[in-house]
């Protein structure tokens, strides 16, 4: 039997018990001992079956404490809107020229935003952007005439969420360097957003299980009732 790495042996905390969200965050941070600022991730198991159209869960939430990530944004826009997107801090702005770059394999961005008039062009990149979860969508605010605000939101803490086939939503809610309070606020903001996005077809218990972990650390269960 292979020996466990020292890092794993050093993990502390009860991984089987359900902790309050405050206690779970404290445990996750205590075990985030890598030499870099680990990301803090949340997993939420929802009582939905995504195979049914009326049980899809998708949306966007602006995390009050931010994400701690440097989000690189690509914007499809022309003329005045292109200038607004650039002024708002978008790294890549264009139309046909940006389309050609992405079609040729360029993927140096984390979020794609488009003005509505650009969607006929962007739609042709569906096979490239879709599988990566980067396709602009009006439901999450990435297809909008106000591209400047969308860029600011993306860079200021806006996080997209979407339920996976197993009924689980995964999202980043900050960094290990954040204060406990900042992380608690972000967790509660995400859960509130999920509750607002509860689909009509969801029956019974909606938020079933919540887990928190860091990039290199163990996961801890969260008492759902402690989140509110």
């Amino acid at each position: 039997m292979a020996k466990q790495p020292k890092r794993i042996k050093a993990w502390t905390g009860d991984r089987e018990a359900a902790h309050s969200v405050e206690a779970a965050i404290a445990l996750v941070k205590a075990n985030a001992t890598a030499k870099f600022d680990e990301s803090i991730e949340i997993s939420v198991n929802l009582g939905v079956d995504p195979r049914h159209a009326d049980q899809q869960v998708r949306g966007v939430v602006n995390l009050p404490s931010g994400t701690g990530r440097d989000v690189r944004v690509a914007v499809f826009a022309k003329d005045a809107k292109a200038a607004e997107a650039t002024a708002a801090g978008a790294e890549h702005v264009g139309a046909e020229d940006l389309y050609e770059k992405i079609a040729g394999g360029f993927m140096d961005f984390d979020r794609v935003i488009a003005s509505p008039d650009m969607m006929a062009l962007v739609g042709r990149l569906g096979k490239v952007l879709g599988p990566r979860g980067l396709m602009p969508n009006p439901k999450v605010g990435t297809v909008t005439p106000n591209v400047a605000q969308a860029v600011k939101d993306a860079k200021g803490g806006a996080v997209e969420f979407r339920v996976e086939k197993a009924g689980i939503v995964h999202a980043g809610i900050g960094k290990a360097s954040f204060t406990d309070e900042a992380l608690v606020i972000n967790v509660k903001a995400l859960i509130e957003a999920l509750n607002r996005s509860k689909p009509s077809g969801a029956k019974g218990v909606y938020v079933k299980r919540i887990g928190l972990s860091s990039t290199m650390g163990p996961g801890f269960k969260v008492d759902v009732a402690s989140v509110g």
Side-chain angles (χ1 to χ4, degrees), residues 64-145:
S65 306
T67 63
R69 292 183 59 209
D70 182 16
V71 179
R72 301 162 300 172
V73 181
V75 178
F76 282 89
K78 287 184 175 181
D79 305 324
K81 292 193 182 299
E84 291 171 8
T86 300
E91 283 78 5
H92 312 288
V93 181
E96 286 79 5
D97 55 336
L98 183 56
Y99 167 86
E100 294 295 341
K101 284 180 66 176
I102 294 174
F106 176 76
M107 294 298 294
D108 190 23
F109 48 83
D110 307 298
R111 188 76 54 84
V112 181
I113 294 165
S115 60
D117 59 309
M118 289 282 97
M119 283 310 294
L121 179 66
V122 179
R124 289 152 53 187
L125 292 170
K127 291 184 178 180
V128 177
L129 300 177
R132 295 175 171 82
L134 293 171
M135 193 67 183
N137 189 308
K139 291 183 179 180
V140 295
T142 47
V143 177
T144 173

Side-chain angles (χ1 to χ4, degrees), residues 14-21 23-24 210 220-224 226:
D14 188 343
R15 299 174 61 191
E16 297 302 320
H19 306 273
S20 69
V21 62
I210 301 173
F220 292 93
K221 299 175 183 177
V222 176
D223 179 2
V224 175
S226 73

Side-chain angles (χ1 to χ4, degrees), residues 2-11 216:
K3 291 184 178 179
Q4 287 187 330
K6 290 182 179 179
R7 174 178 55 83
I8 294 178
K9 283 185 176 181
W11 285 349
M216 302 294 288

Side-chain angles (χ1 to χ4, degrees), residues 60-69 71 111 151-160 172 186:
V60 63
V61 57
N62 287 307
L63 298 180
S65 306
T67 63
R69 292 183 59 209
V71 179
R111 188 76 54 84
V151 171
K152 292 176 183 176
D153 289 344
K155 289 184 167 294
V159 171
E160 292 183 34
N186 279 355

